[in-house]
Amino acid sequence: MDAVRVALLRDVLAGTEWLGATRRFAGALRGSVVSHGGGLLLVGTREYEPWHLAAHLVDEAAWSGTPELVPTLVRHDARPSDPAHLAVGLGRLEAARRGETLLVVAPGEPTAPLLERVSDARRAGATLLALGPSDGELPALAHETLAVPAGAELDLDTVQHLVGAAAGENALPSPRGHRRFRDRMSRLADLLTAPPPARW
């Protein structure tokens, strides 16, 4: 979907909750990666890899002059023989650390092994964003969630287009001081359970 079609879609959606919701989520994404200087990991499920969102974020990064938006696509079936940008496997989630952002895109609740890796990345200090399910473990783990429940007016692919376009907008990141109580508590829990910093 090109910029003209996204603009038309936004016109059609004017007055609905989707524009504000996608912009807020995109602002959280942009604010996280820009404030940490990059480190965006993007992962889906074995059945649903977010190829289009990865491509849109690369384009938006170039158009907006925000290289931090370029994601590393983490794949379930990556092989060493794949091109470098497609050869990053799930082991990369185990290496996720504080300062990195992990965006999980899933049409439903991910499998237990993926949830375990995502939970470990969060415990290691990564900021976790979730796009997809409205219920279950993934939204409960995430620092920020944009729910796209089954049967919603928009499907997950369309919402990804809106998020990608909004992430490239030259808006200021969401102010840190106005986070919800749950977000502040989860941040405190992260700080208390994070491993001690490495000493050199």
Side-chain angles (χ1 to χ4, degrees):
M1 187 178 293
D2 59 30
V4 172
R5 288 186 181 148
V6 169
L8 289 172
L9 178 60
R10 284 177 167 172
D11 285 344
V12 170
L13 295 172
T16 70
E17 65 183 38
W18 287 107
L19 288 186
T22 54
R23 283 191 166 125
R24 277 190 300 278
F25 186 80
L29 170 63
R30 182 181 174 118
S32 178
V33 297
V34 169
S35 65
H36 290 111
L40 174 57
L41 304 174
L42 176 61
V43 67
T45 63
R46 185 175 296 280
E47 299 78 24
Y48 189 92
E49 290 190 324
W51 298 91
H52 284 104
L53 182 56
H56 287 302
L57 287 171
V58 168
D59 290 343
E60 291 297 334
W63 293 332
S64 67
T66 314
E68 298 91 347
L69 286 174
V70 174
T72 298
L73 181 61
V74 179
R75 300 181 57 227
H76 290 258
D77 294 317
R79 297 179 304 262
S81 60
D82 290 335
H85 69 290
L86 299 176
V88 179
L90 291 176
R92 177 62 180 87
L93 299 182
E94 295 166 11
R97 294 290 174 257
R98 184 171 308 283
E100 292 185 304
T101 301
L102 173 56
L103 172 54
V104 181
V105 179
E109 182 75 348
T111 60
L114 179 57
L115 282 171
E116 185 176 331
R117 289 174 190 251
V118 167
S119 178
D120 289 346
R122 180 189 159 118
R123 272 197 301 275
T127 300
L128 175 59
L129 286 80
L131 180 57
S134 55
D135 299 307
E137 246 184 282
L138 180 60
L141 281 171
H143 293 97
E144 189 75 34
T145 300
L146 178 55
V148 187
E153 304 86 2
L154 299 181
D155 63 11
L156 187 57
D157 289 335
T158 303
V159 172
Q160 288 177 75
H161 286 294
L162 292 169
V163 168
E169 291 176 345
N170 291 321
L172 293 173
S174 305
R176 290 281 214 194
H178 299 292
R179 292 182 296 178
R180 295 177 302 180
F181 177 74
R182 183 179 132 198
D183 294 335
R184 293 193 306 269
M185 292 304 293
S186 69
R187 177 75 178 130
L188 176 61
D190 287 347
L191 290 171
L192 294 174
T193 59
R199 298 181 189 269
W200 300 98

